[in-house]
Amino acid sequence: MTDKLLMDACLPDKNGRLGLARVPCPALSDGEVLLRVHATAVNRADLLQRQGLYPPPPGASEILGLECAGVVVACGPGVSEWQEGDQVCALLAGGGYGEYVSIDARHCLPIPPGYSFAEAAALPEAFATAWLNLYQEARLQPGERVLLPAGASGVGTAAIQLCRVMGNPCFVSVGTTGKLARCLELGAKGGVVRGQQSLASLLKPEGVDVILDPVAGDCLAEHLALLRDNGRLVLIGFMGGREASLDLGRILVRRLRIIGSTLRSRSAGDKAELIGSLGMQVWPHFSQGALAPVIDSVFPWTEAEAAHARVAANLNIGKVVLQVTGN
Ligand SMILES: NC(=O)c1ccc[n+]([C@@H]2O[C@H](COP(=O)([O-])OP(=O)(O)OC[C@H]3O[C@@H](n4cnc5c(N)ncnc54)[C@H](OP(=O)(O)O)[C@@H]3O)[C@@H](O)[C@H]2O)c1
């Protein structure tokens, strides 16, 4: 495979609508594998990138797509961990909406036994984000209590399951009663539908130790007020707005920490470490059936526009997957 060959990729056309176009195949560098992509998944970040609000980090593919599942079709110099024909899923900085993607070999994980490509494509971004931020950034300890705003999101549904497996009681806030019911099924201990019940009435007086917060904005003060002494809030998004007014006294007196965290812009080495720890500590739970992808829907990639519309309308519970090939 060379960079002179062409492949299909799902890109915004001149009117901004997603559709297939012919583009050059990615080149393969030292330490990389070339994957034939069979499935990818939609992330909230894809919607922002399309609008020009979340550009790829320097050197990353301009093509959308932060994760995929597929087959190794070529290995660059220095790759020893994979060989042609291996079925893997991968965390990407971009390029998942292409027929082929080249990726640091260390950012791939084996597809859990019995999983389809669609199921495997739903794993990397959500589980890497939840694992990184709960157990590494926030250093969540056994028994500590967790709040997951947007609990029915791709990241939220992964985080609920990790908390269940790791023995951390977790609670959610969501937009609908249907989403709350699904979060409880997945293992959340309780939750509120925003606008129907306050988080304080659910969680006070105990409060929580850690919050994985993709909402922040107007909700940040409410979230911080729920943290116990030494509590940690990991800020992973600001769907509720990027500005907030805070009671700094509370942060100081209760010794709270607010930790900002993005996955995509981390160094290749940091991501390799994260994927290594995910493979060791989280992946075995998929083969044992304790963890599973939560798949909202699967669209052929020719219908990526409809898949994005579903996510933009906040209709999904868990992951929306794009099937690139027929299997
Ligand atoms: N920092 C990182 O490294 C990182 C990595 C991955 C994802 N993220 C962030 O994590 C969040 C979840 O990503 P995802 O792809 O899993 O999302 P997703 O599956 O698209 O789910 C997002 C959900 O958030 C809720 N929501 C939307 N706007 C909201 C608002 N203004 N206030 C409260 N809730 C709102 C909606 O559910 P309801 O109906 O329940 O409101 C929506 O379905 C996003 O903010 C994303 O950018 C960050």
Side-chain angles (χ1 to χ4, degrees), residues 176-284:
T176 68
T177 50
K179 287 187 175 186
L180 178 54
R182 185 71 179 112
C183 291
L184 297 174
E185 268 173 27
L186 288 170
K189 295 287 180 210
V192 301
V193 176
R194 283 191 318 280
Q196 290 186 13
Q197 188 191 350
S198 74
L199 279 167
S201 67
L202 174 76
L203 294 170
K204 291 274 190 160
E206 297 95 329
V208 294
D209 301 284
V210 166
I211 304 176
L212 181 60
D213 195 350
V215 176
D218 291 342
C219 298
L220 187 61
E222 182 194 6
H223 293 165
L224 286 171
L226 299 166
L227 282 177
R228 291 165 152 175
D229 288 359
N230 300 307
R232 291 86 75 201
L233 180 144
V234 188
L235 177 66
I236 60 163
F238 30 78
M239 291 188 290
R242 57 186 296 158
E243 292 187 2
S245 171
L246 299 182
D247 174 1
L248 296 176
R250 184 177 179 86
I251 295 173
L252 184 145
V253 170
R254 288 198 170 268
R255 301 178 301 281
L256 306 182
R257 273 170 281 167
I258 300 177
I259 303 161
S261 175
T262 62
L263 176 52
R264 189 186 197 185
S265 60
R266 285 176 193 243
S267 71
D270 283 357
K271 286 186 196 171
E273 241 173 69
L274 169 64
I275 294 297
S277 120
L278 205 61
M280 297 271 290
Q281 303 194 60
V282 176
W283 242 236

Side-chain angles (χ1 to χ4, degrees), residues 39-43 66-70 87-92 107-132 153-159 161-162 186 263 274-275 278-279 282-298 318-322:
T40 181
V42 180
N43 283 282
L66 298 178
E67 57 195 331
C68 72
Q87 300 195 349
V88 298
C89 51
L91 183 69
L92 310 170
H107 299 173
C108 298
L109 282 160
I111 294 186
Y115 274 40
S116 66
F117 288 115
E119 288 167 329
L123 302 179
E125 178 76 14
F127 280 92
T129 301
W131 178 251
L132 166 69
S153 62
V155 171
T157 51
Q161 295 185 78
L162 280 178
L186 288 170
L263 176 52
L274 169 64
I275 294 297
L278 205 61
V282 176
W283 242 236
H285 294 295
F286 290 115
S287 355
Q288 292 155 11
L291 293 176
V294 176
I295 297 191
D296 172 83
S297 44
V298 182
K319 300 289 294 186
V320 173
V321 171
L322 299 177

